[in-house]
Amino acid sequence: MSEISAEQVAHLANLARIALTEEEIEHLTAELGQIMQAVEKVSEVATPDVPPTSHPIPMHNVFRDDVVGDNVLSPEQALSGAPESDGSRFVVSAILGEEQ
Amino acid sequence: MSDLIRLSAAELGERLASGDVSSVEATQAHLDRIAAVDGAVHAFLHVDGERALETAADIDRRRAAGDRLGALAGVPIAIKDVLVTEGMPSTAGSRILQGWLPPYDATPVRLVREAGMVPLGKTNMDEFAMGSSTEHSAYGPTHNPWDLERIPGGSGGGSAASVASFEAPLALGSDTGGSIRQPAHVTGTVGVKPTYGAVSRYGSIALASSLDQIGPVTRTVLDAALLHDVIAGHDPHDSTSIPEPWPSMADAVRRADVAGLRIGVVKQLDSDGFQAGVRQRFHEALELLERQGAEIVEVSAPHFEYAIAAYYLILPAEASSNLAKFDSVRFGLRVTPDGGGTVEQVMAATREAGFGPEVKRRIILGTYALSAGYYDAYYGSAQKVRTLVQRDFDAAFASVDVLATPTAPTTAFKLGEKLDDPLAMYLNDVATIPANLAGVPGISIPAGLAPEDGLPVGIQFLAPAREDARLYNVGGALEQLLLAEWGGPILDRAPDLSTHELLATEEGAV
Amino acid sequence: MARAELMDYDKALELFEPVIGLEVHVELNTTTKMFSPAPNPANSAFHGAEPNTLVTPVCLGLPGSLPVVNGAAVRSSISLGLALGCTIAESSRFARKNYFYPDLAKNYQISQYDEPIAYEGSVEVELANGRVFQVPIERAHMEEDAGKLTHVGGSTGRIQGAEYSLVDYNRAGVPLVEIVTKPIFGAEADAPELAKAYVSTIRDIALSLGISEARMERGNLRCDANVSLRPRGTEPLGTRTETKNVNSFRSIERAVRYEIQRQAAILAKGGTITQETRHWHEDTGTTSPGRPKSDADDYRYFPEPDLLPVEPSRELIEELRAVLPEPPAARRRRLKGEWGFTDLEFQDVVNGGLLVEVTLTVAAGATPAAARKWWTGELTRLANAGQTDAASLATPEQVAELAALVGEGVLTDRLARQVLEGVVAGEGSPREIVEARGLAVVSDDGALVAAIDEALASQPDVLAKIRDGKVQAAGAVIGAVMKAMHGKADAARVRELVLERAQG
């Protein structure tokens, strides 16, 4: 299971939107294999009868009242960190893919 | 060195309250210290002296006007760069956020400001809190004030080093797998990871949402308690914030008494895998407590050995998703490939250029752990281990009040020593990670210096969820016993940094 | 793009059985968004706001921001689930769906995956021909909407050929309930109409619950239609396509019909259907291929660590169940009787997707006959001319006000049609338009009498004829008076007065 190929790493990089270099892919392929081998240990004790825990402190039904908050940003604040904007909207380069 | 900077936050608070000293004087003293030694230590990524002095002057005015102020009003504080600060750069140690000015304050930052404390600036950290040495900061590592060749721990090495080098009396940190406690261990300071949900995560740049917790970084247990009392409490902006009120941690320190306290030593974390001097100081500390009436018993936590494995699946998985927002659209860096490109290519080029190797490593690892066909084996199994670790804690706390472990396996290692060996680096967190997986609180306080290398060693206590006060009780008691033994704070034995200034400044960021 | 070959519809049905599945997204009209206290543009109060003015750090996915669930949105979702006949989950959970897209601020969507709030329901849908279907519901889950992209450059305003795009995150985080049907078998030739009628029923339900503005033209209600065909006499389901961007009732029906004909033509020639997303083009009445489904669709779902499970109490569920409105099909039967419509009249209303409009118009004070007349008459005519739905042109309150003005004699039908044009053009309420355009009938008898006397005086021969009992001669005087009044008089009243004055 811990055998990871360079193609897999390239695929993961694509999913994660990181333009890794060939060298990085090569390096990560080796490292990931080692790390996965170490962490696969979890399956030794993760038997079907053990329920998963996703939150350390169990709580439920945490809701907010349906009231407008005091943290609504002005357009200036909203756009203040934008690498590029047209004054009211964020500008991005042409999009290749389509909406999901 | 000015006396003002050697005061604890509690002492400084008292001097400020008595009118003995002004906040402007105290703030200026710390800014002077930063100017003198931070070239060598590099604890800060950003210092805002002007704004700090304005804030200090405002507190002085309010005090003069007779306003009722809190115990820490006017006391300067350093803030880990993982917390967003309105109008003050917040980078989480990453190039991808260079220059970003957040339009809002993190809740703990807001609370600190409301308490009248004076933010000095932002402290260095491993990029997005991924690391145990601050060597993964995009802005160069922080140096351990005990030995500038060594790591100050991580990810919150900047906060710990700022406090250890008297640049700030206290600081805010964040702890996902030990990032507050392990730096405390290697710098001879105090660090607390509160119960998950005790302090709001709103405004803390998320690493692993189900593990992250904000907490105090200080030189004394009382200071940690005072800061804990300021930042803990329910925040409606964080769904996982615990709604119930908290008892005063400062009271727990002041009333510290370990008579009858049952302390469990985790068998699995008291092994040969730990440096001899670390174990020695750990057991000496336990003996001191035993002499004061505490009962030391051995407990077993058989699943702790799976904790690192589970952690290095859960953390990368959550981080891979949390860090997806850094995409060059709304904030931060944008890198356009030569000759332009589609938005997809711009995003990929930005993330390639903006993230360091450790961040990329963990994002790829997390993406893998969540991907179709692997979820059950990896992420799903890790969540089950989490249950098992919680059960170990439950079983242990059924028979003891607190658990004790060495905070980390070794004293501070040399900068660069483990940089190329991620697995060895990950092992630093073996004793701290179980608390994050289970959400329970932990404290690390100085236990002495390891005889073999003269470097600080910490002891960690862990308590059941929501029983943070127990940590302050046992920590406060042990601190008093050790101070008596040592005849003064352990940091008195740290080297005088002023002699290192030029040397390290010239060397720059290693 | 070459136009796809289509098989004759009847022929297609002869050879293949259509199987459809529908995914409807309902934007909730809560005051604030799903996970952020920002104003919700799917609530009319905030519709049409300037770009990026309805955002908090949460909507922009700013570092450090955290989601908090809107309790009102959860209640609305539970109500909707109950109205769909679903079981409400004892414990339900949010999950992150991870994919990069510039309209998705965090590059993951908070949705629900294996633990939706509601599951296993059924909705009764009635067709024009009286056939009644139980459409099986697989699940209804809560999620957040994405922001809006505007593509600039290129000729079409579409994504292809654009030079760059603009992002507005006002819509990011709008509460959505996605309702997913199970595969629907047995509709046969009625499949396109069933698809339309189903979405119309969902709209009825959402409106009667008051949980959504449910205006398709605003995207409050969005439909993706899955269509597959299987050869007669075979068991396995065929490969399906998912048609998106179907934004009006009429296009739902057309899009399903188109896909049946297109797929049939391919299959009949021995071709295979590609599993893909297709886009509906309202202008050409066709679909075009989009993104093929592939291994790249690895959304890496995992439980949202920033949010906690939703575990509605039995009391809450029963409280919401107790106030559920009547199911649409039952309500239709009741309303038909109450309104006294003929079968034909009622079908007109239902087929136009106007049941809710007529109901609300009656509730606003109009007679059922007047409400039906305006919605299925003039408004439907205007809608067809503008290739949209009548419901998008006016509000029930506006129509009721119009009907009242006619009832009061302020407007004639002819004037009322002019006023309606003003309403559709967004000039204001009917009364405002009457005022602004000066369209009211002259009901001041004094003004009419003066005009009548003048007309009679100038036509003494006519006056004599009337006095001789030749009442039909009055027509000439009435015409002159109406002309003098610029048509803004009630002809029946003018006639009465003419006869009165002539006798006097």
Short mmCIF file of all heavy atoms in Angstrom, two decimals, chain B residues 318-367:
data_model
loop_
_atom_site.label_atom_id
_atom_site.label_comp_id
_atom_site.label_asym_id
_atom_site.label_seq_id
_atom_site.Cartn_x
_atom_site.Cartn_y
_atom_site.Cartn_z
N GLU B 318 -6.33 17.46 7.19
CA GLU B 318 -7.04 18.70 7.46
C GLU B 318 -6.29 19.90 6.88
O GLU B 318 -6.88 20.83 6.33
CB GLU B 318 -7.26 18.88 8.97
CG GLU B 318 -8.22 17.83 9.53
CD GLU B 318 -8.58 18.07 11.00
OE1 GLU B 318 -8.24 19.12 11.56
OE2 GLU B 318 -9.23 17.18 11.58
N ALA B 319 -4.95 19.86 7.00
CA ALA B 319 -4.15 20.98 6.50
C ALA B 319 -4.28 21.11 4.98
O ALA B 319 -4.36 22.22 4.45
CB ALA B 319 -2.69 20.81 6.90
N SER B 320 -4.31 19.97 4.28
CA SER B 320 -4.39 20.05 2.81
C SER B 320 -5.65 20.79 2.40
O SER B 320 -5.66 21.51 1.40
CB SER B 320 -4.36 18.64 2.20
OG SER B 320 -5.58 17.95 2.46
N SER B 321 -6.71 20.65 3.17
CA SER B 321 -7.96 21.35 2.87
C SER B 321 -7.91 22.79 3.39
O SER B 321 -8.27 23.73 2.67
CB SER B 321 -9.10 20.57 3.54
OG SER B 321 -10.33 21.21 3.36
N ASN B 322 -7.41 22.98 4.60
CA ASN B 322 -7.35 24.34 5.16
C ASN B 322 -6.47 25.27 4.33
O ASN B 322 -6.73 26.47 4.25
CB ASN B 322 -6.79 24.30 6.59
CG ASN B 322 -7.82 23.82 7.60
OD1 ASN B 322 -9.02 23.99 7.39
ND2 ASN B 322 -7.36 23.22 8.69
N LEU B 323 -5.42 24.72 3.74
CA LEU B 323 -4.48 25.57 3.01
C LEU B 323 -4.87 25.75 1.54
O LEU B 323 -4.17 26.40 0.78
CB LEU B 323 -3.06 25.01 3.10
CG LEU B 323 -2.45 24.92 4.51
CD1 LEU B 323 -0.97 24.57 4.45
CD2 LEU B 323 -2.63 26.22 5.28
N ALA B 324 -6.03 25.17 1.16
CA ALA B 324 -6.48 25.34 -0.22
C ALA B 324 -6.88 26.79 -0.50
O ALA B 324 -6.87 27.24 -1.64
CB ALA B 324 -7.65 24.40 -0.51
N LYS B 325 -7.22 27.52 0.56
CA LYS B 325 -7.68 28.90 0.36
C LYS B 325 -6.57 29.83 -0.12
O LYS B 325 -6.84 30.91 -0.61
CB LYS B 325 -8.30 29.45 1.65
CG LYS B 325 -7.35 29.50 2.83
CD LYS B 325 -7.95 30.25 4.01
CE LYS B 325 -9.16 29.57 4.62
NZ LYS B 325 -8.78 28.44 5.51
N PHE B 326 -5.33 29.39 -0.02
CA PHE B 326 -4.21 30.22 -0.48
C PHE B 326 -4.02 29.99 -1.97
O PHE B 326 -3.28 29.12 -2.40
CB PHE B 326 -2.94 29.90 0.33
CG PHE B 326 -3.15 30.16 1.80
CD1 PHE B 326 -3.46 29.12 2.67
CD2 PHE B 326 -3.11 31.45 2.29
CE1 PHE B 326 -3.70 29.36 4.01
CE2 PHE B 326 -3.35 31.70 3.64
CZ PHE B 326 -3.65 30.66 4.50
N ASP B 327 -4.75 30.77 -2.77
CA ASP B 327 -4.87 30.47 -4.19
C ASP B 327 -4.63 31.69 -5.07
O ASP B 327 -4.91 31.65 -6.26
CB ASP B 327 -6.26 29.88 -4.48
CG ASP B 327 -7.37 30.89 -4.22
OD1 ASP B 327 -7.07 32.02 -3.79
OD2 ASP B 327 -8.54 30.56 -4.45
N SER B 328 -4.18 32.80 -4.48
CA SER B 328 -3.82 34.02 -5.23
C SER B 328 -5.02 34.83 -5.70
O SER B 328 -4.86 35.74 -6.50
CB SER B 328 -2.94 33.69 -6.46
OG SER B 328 -3.74 33.26 -7.55
N VAL B 329 -6.21 34.54 -5.22
CA VAL B 329 -7.39 35.27 -5.71
C VAL B 329 -7.77 36.43 -4.78
O VAL B 329 -7.94 37.56 -5.23
CB VAL B 329 -8.60 34.33 -5.89
CG1 VAL B 329 -9.85 35.12 -6.31
CG2 VAL B 329 -8.28 33.27 -6.94
N ARG B 330 -7.89 36.16 -3.49
CA ARG B 330 -8.46 37.17 -2.58
C ARG B 330 -7.42 37.86 -1.69
O ARG B 330 -7.69 38.92 -1.14
CB ARG B 330 -9.53 36.52 -1.68
CG ARG B 330 -10.75 36.05 -2.45
CD ARG B 330 -11.53 35.03 -1.65
NE ARG B 330 -10.67 33.94 -1.22
CZ ARG B 330 -10.26 32.95 -2.01
NH1 ARG B 330 -10.68 32.88 -3.25
NH2 ARG B 330 -9.44 32.03 -1.56
N PHE B 331 -6.27 37.21 -1.51
CA PHE B 331 -5.24 37.78 -0.63
C PHE B 331 -3.94 37.08 -0.93
O PHE B 331 -3.93 36.01 -1.56
CB PHE B 331 -5.61 37.57 0.85
CG PHE B 331 -6.12 36.19 1.14
CD1 PHE B 331 -5.23 35.14 1.27
CD2 PHE B 331 -7.48 35.93 1.22
CE1 PHE B 331 -5.69 33.85 1.50
CE2 PHE B 331 -7.95 34.63 1.44
CZ PHE B 331 -7.05 33.60 1.59
N GLY B 332 -2.87 37.69 -0.49
CA GLY B 332 -1.58 37.02 -0.57
C GLY B 332 -0.93 37.05 -1.93
O GLY B 332 -1.32 37.80 -2.83
N LEU B 333 0.08 36.20 -2.04
CA LEU B 333 0.94 36.16 -3.22
C LEU B 333 0.18 35.75 -4.48
O LEU B 333 -0.76 34.95 -4.41
CB LEU B 333 2.05 35.13 -2.93
CG LEU B 333 3.16 34.95 -3.96
CD1 LEU B 333 4.08 36.16 -3.97
CD2 LEU B 333 3.97 33.68 -3.62
N ARG B 334 0.58 36.35 -5.62
CA ARG B 334 0.16 35.80 -6.92
C ARG B 334 1.39 35.70 -7.81
O ARG B 334 2.12 36.67 -7.99
CB ARG B 334 -0.89 36.69 -7.59
CG ARG B 334 -1.23 36.20 -9.01
CD ARG B 334 -2.34 36.97 -9.67
NE ARG B 334 -3.63 36.78 -9.01
CZ ARG B 334 -4.77 37.32 -9.44
NH1 ARG B 334 -4.78 38.07 -10.53
NH2 ARG B 334 -5.89 37.10 -8.79
N VAL B 335 1.60 34.50 -8.34
CA VAL B 335 2.70 34.29 -9.26
C VAL B 335 2.11 33.84 -10.58
O VAL B 335 1.39 32.84 -10.65
CB VAL B 335 3.68 33.20 -8.73
CG1 VAL B 335 4.72 32.87 -9.79
CG2 VAL B 335 4.34 33.68 -7.44
N THR B 336 2.38 34.61 -11.62
CA THR B 336 1.86 34.26 -12.95
C THR B 336 2.99 33.60 -13.74
O THR B 336 4.09 34.13 -13.78
CB THR B 336 1.37 35.52 -13.67
OG1 THR B 336 0.42 36.16 -12.82
CG2 THR B 336 0.71 35.17 -15.00
N PRO B 337 2.70 32.42 -14.32
CA PRO B 337 3.76 31.74 -15.07
C PRO B 337 4.23 32.60 -16.24
O PRO B 337 3.47 33.45 -16.72
CB PRO B 337 3.08 30.47 -15.59
CG PRO B 337 1.78 30.36 -14.86
CD PRO B 337 1.42 31.71 -14.37
N ASP B 338 5.44 32.36 -16.69
CA ASP B 338 5.96 33.11 -17.84
C ASP B 338 4.96 33.03 -18.99
O ASP B 338 4.48 31.95 -19.33
CB ASP B 338 7.31 32.52 -18.30
CG ASP B 338 8.39 32.80 -17.26
OD1 ASP B 338 8.20 33.74 -16.47
OD2 ASP B 338 9.40 32.07 -17.24
N GLY B 339 4.66 34.17 -19.56
CA GLY B 339 3.74 34.18 -20.70
C GLY B 339 2.29 34.07 -20.28
O GLY B 339 1.44 33.76 -21.10
N GLY B 340 2.01 34.30 -19.01
CA GLY B 340 0.61 34.27 -18.55
C GLY B 340 0.13 32.86 -18.30
O GLY B 340 0.93 31.94 -18.16
N GLY B 341 -1.15 32.69 -18.27
CA GLY B 341 -1.67 31.34 -18.01
C GLY B 341 -3.11 31.43 -17.55
O GLY B 341 -3.62 32.51 -17.27
N THR B 342 -3.74 30.28 -17.46
CA THR B 342 -5.10 30.23 -16.96
C THR B 342 -5.07 30.40 -15.45
O THR B 342 -4.02 30.32 -14.82
CB THR B 342 -5.73 28.86 -17.27
OG1 THR B 342 -4.99 27.87 -16.57
CG2 THR B 342 -5.71 28.58 -18.77
N VAL B 343 -6.23 30.62 -14.88
CA VAL B 343 -6.28 30.80 -13.43
C VAL B 343 -5.78 29.53 -12.72
O VAL B 343 -5.14 29.60 -11.69
CB VAL B 343 -7.70 31.21 -12.96
CG1 VAL B 343 -8.69 30.08 -13.13
CG2 VAL B 343 -7.67 31.68 -11.51
N GLU B 344 -6.04 28.37 -13.33
CA GLU B 344 -5.55 27.12 -12.75
C GLU B 344 -4.02 27.13 -12.68
O GLU B 344 -3.42 26.73 -11.68
CB GLU B 344 -6.02 25.91 -13.58
CG GLU B 344 -7.50 25.61 -13.49
CD GLU B 344 -8.35 26.40 -14.47
OE1 GLU B 344 -7.81 27.34 -15.12
OE2 GLU B 344 -9.55 26.10 -14.61
N GLN B 345 -3.40 27.58 -13.78
CA GLN B 345 -1.93 27.61 -13.83
C GLN B 345 -1.37 28.66 -12.87
O GLN B 345 -0.33 28.45 -12.25
CB GLN B 345 -1.46 27.88 -15.26
CG GLN B 345 -1.72 26.69 -16.18
CD GLN B 345 -1.64 27.06 -17.65
OE1 GLN B 345 -1.87 28.20 -18.02
NE2 GLN B 345 -1.31 26.07 -18.47
N VAL B 346 -2.09 29.79 -12.76
CA VAL B 346 -1.64 30.83 -11.84
C VAL B 346 -1.70 30.32 -10.40
O VAL B 346 -0.78 30.51 -9.61
CB VAL B 346 -2.48 32.12 -12.01
CG1 VAL B 346 -2.13 33.13 -10.92
CG2 VAL B 346 -2.28 32.72 -13.39
N MET B 347 -2.80 29.64 -10.07
CA MET B 347 -2.93 29.08 -8.72
C MET B 347 -1.80 28.10 -8.44
O MET B 347 -1.16 28.14 -7.38
CB MET B 347 -4.26 28.34 -8.57
CG MET B 347 -5.47 29.25 -8.41
SD MET B 347 -6.96 28.21 -8.19
CE MET B 347 -8.23 29.47 -8.12
N ALA B 348 -1.55 27.21 -9.38
CA ALA B 348 -0.54 26.17 -9.16
C ALA B 348 0.86 26.77 -9.06
O ALA B 348 1.68 26.35 -8.24
CB ALA B 348 -0.60 25.13 -10.29
N ALA B 349 1.12 27.80 -9.88
CA ALA B 349 2.44 28.45 -9.83
C ALA B 349 2.60 29.21 -8.52
O ALA B 349 3.69 29.23 -7.92
CB ALA B 349 2.60 29.39 -11.03
N THR B 350 1.51 29.85 -8.07
CA THR B 350 1.57 30.60 -6.82
C THR B 350 1.84 29.67 -5.65
O THR B 350 2.69 29.95 -4.79
CB THR B 350 0.23 31.33 -6.59
OG1 THR B 350 0.00 32.23 -7.66
CG2 THR B 350 0.26 32.10 -5.27
N ARG B 351 1.16 28.56 -5.62
CA ARG B 351 1.31 27.63 -4.50
C ARG B 351 2.69 26.95 -4.55
O ARG B 351 3.27 26.66 -3.51
CB ARG B 351 0.16 26.62 -4.50
CG ARG B 351 -1.17 27.31 -4.13
CD ARG B 351 -2.40 26.50 -4.49
NE ARG B 351 -2.51 25.23 -3.78
CZ ARG B 351 -2.96 25.09 -2.54
NH1 ARG B 351 -3.34 26.15 -1.85
NH2 ARG B 351 -3.04 23.90 -1.99
N GLU B 352 3.18 26.74 -5.75
CA GLU B 352 4.53 26.17 -5.89
C GLU B 352 5.58 27.15 -5.33
O GLU B 352 6.47 26.75 -4.59
CB GLU B 352 4.82 25.86 -7.37
CG GLU B 352 6.28 25.64 -7.73
CD GLU B 352 6.90 24.42 -7.07
OE1 GLU B 352 6.15 23.59 -6.52
OE2 GLU B 352 8.14 24.29 -7.07
N ALA B 353 5.39 28.42 -5.66
CA ALA B 353 6.38 29.41 -5.23
C ALA B 353 6.17 29.85 -3.79
O ALA B 353 7.12 30.19 -3.08
CB ALA B 353 6.32 30.64 -6.16
N GLY B 354 4.92 29.84 -3.34
CA GLY B 354 4.60 30.43 -2.04
C GLY B 354 4.73 29.49 -0.86
O GLY B 354 4.84 29.93 0.28
N PHE B 355 4.68 28.19 -1.11
CA PHE B 355 4.78 27.21 -0.02
C PHE B 355 6.20 26.64 0.05
O PHE B 355 6.81 26.36 -0.98
CB PHE B 355 3.82 26.03 -0.25
CG PHE B 355 2.36 26.37 -0.06
CD1 PHE B 355 1.40 25.76 -0.86
CD2 PHE B 355 1.93 27.25 0.93
CE1 PHE B 355 0.04 26.04 -0.68
CE2 PHE B 355 0.58 27.53 1.11
CZ PHE B 355 -0.37 26.93 0.30
N GLY B 356 6.67 26.40 1.25
CA GLY B 356 7.97 25.76 1.43
C GLY B 356 7.85 24.25 1.35
O GLY B 356 6.76 23.70 1.27
N PRO B 357 9.01 23.56 1.39
CA PRO B 357 9.03 22.10 1.17
C PRO B 357 8.19 21.32 2.21
O PRO B 357 7.51 20.36 1.84
CB PRO B 357 10.50 21.73 1.30
CG PRO B 357 11.26 22.98 1.40
CD PRO B 357 10.35 24.12 1.54
N GLU B 358 8.23 21.72 3.47
CA GLU B 358 7.48 20.96 4.47
C GLU B 358 5.98 21.10 4.24
O GLU B 358 5.22 20.14 4.40
CB GLU B 358 7.85 21.42 5.89
CG GLU B 358 7.12 20.68 7.01
CD GLU B 358 7.48 19.20 7.10
OE1 GLU B 358 8.51 18.78 6.52
OE2 GLU B 358 6.71 18.44 7.72
N VAL B 359 5.54 22.29 3.87
CA VAL B 359 4.12 22.52 3.61
C VAL B 359 3.67 21.69 2.41
O VAL B 359 2.64 21.02 2.45
CB VAL B 359 3.84 24.02 3.40
CG1 VAL B 359 2.40 24.24 2.98
CG2 VAL B 359 4.14 24.79 4.69
N LYS B 360 4.48 21.71 1.36
CA LYS B 360 4.11 20.91 0.18
C LYS B 360 4.07 19.43 0.54
O LYS B 360 3.17 18.69 0.13
CB LYS B 360 5.14 21.13 -0.94
CG LYS B 360 5.07 22.51 -1.55
CD LYS B 360 6.14 22.63 -2.63
CE LYS B 360 6.44 24.09 -2.92
NZ LYS B 360 7.60 24.24 -3.79
N ARG B 361 5.06 18.99 1.32
CA ARG B 361 5.11 17.59 1.72
C ARG B 361 3.82 17.20 2.43
O ARG B 361 3.19 16.19 2.12
CB ARG B 361 6.31 17.40 2.65
CG ARG B 361 6.60 15.98 3.05
CD ARG B 361 7.81 15.93 4.00
NE ARG B 361 9.04 16.32 3.35
CZ ARG B 361 9.92 17.19 3.85
NH1 ARG B 361 9.71 17.79 5.00
NH2 ARG B 361 11.02 17.49 3.18
N ARG B 362 3.40 18.04 3.37
CA ARG B 362 2.21 17.66 4.14
C ARG B 362 0.93 17.80 3.32
O ARG B 362 -0.01 17.04 3.53
CB ARG B 362 2.14 18.50 5.41
CG ARG B 362 3.30 18.18 6.36
CD ARG B 362 2.99 18.51 7.78
NE ARG B 362 4.20 18.62 8.59
CZ ARG B 362 4.19 18.91 9.89
NH1 ARG B 362 3.06 19.12 10.52
NH2 ARG B 362 5.33 18.99 10.56
N ILE B 363 0.89 18.78 2.42
CA ILE B 363 -0.32 18.91 1.59
C ILE B 363 -0.46 17.67 0.70
O ILE B 363 -1.55 17.10 0.56
CB ILE B 363 -0.27 20.20 0.73
CG1 ILE B 363 -0.48 21.42 1.63
CG2 ILE B 363 -1.36 20.16 -0.36
CD1 ILE B 363 -0.37 22.76 0.89
N ILE B 364 0.64 17.25 0.10
CA ILE B 364 0.58 16.07 -0.77
C ILE B 364 0.21 14.83 0.06
O ILE B 364 -0.65 14.03 -0.34
CB ILE B 364 1.93 15.86 -1.49
CG1 ILE B 364 2.23 17.05 -2.43
CG2 ILE B 364 1.95 14.55 -2.26
CD1 ILE B 364 1.27 17.22 -3.57
N LEU B 365 0.81 14.73 1.23
CA LEU B 365 0.50 13.60 2.13
C LEU B 365 -0.98 13.60 2.50
O LEU B 365 -1.65 12.56 2.45
CB LEU B 365 1.38 13.75 3.37
CG LEU B 365 1.30 12.73 4.50
CD1 LEU B 365 1.61 11.35 3.97
CD2 LEU B 365 2.31 13.09 5.60
N GLY B 366 -1.50 14.75 2.85
CA GLY B 366 -2.91 14.85 3.25
C GLY B 366 -3.85 14.60 2.09
O GLY B 366 -4.90 13.97 2.25
N THR B 367 -3.47 15.09 0.92
CA THR B 367 -4.29 14.86 -0.27
C THR B 367 -4.37 13.36 -0.54
O THR B 367 -5.43 12.82 -0.87
CB THR B 367 -3.68 15.61 -1.48
OG1 THR B 367 -3.55 16.99 -1.13
CG2 THR B 367 -4.56 15.48 -2.71
#
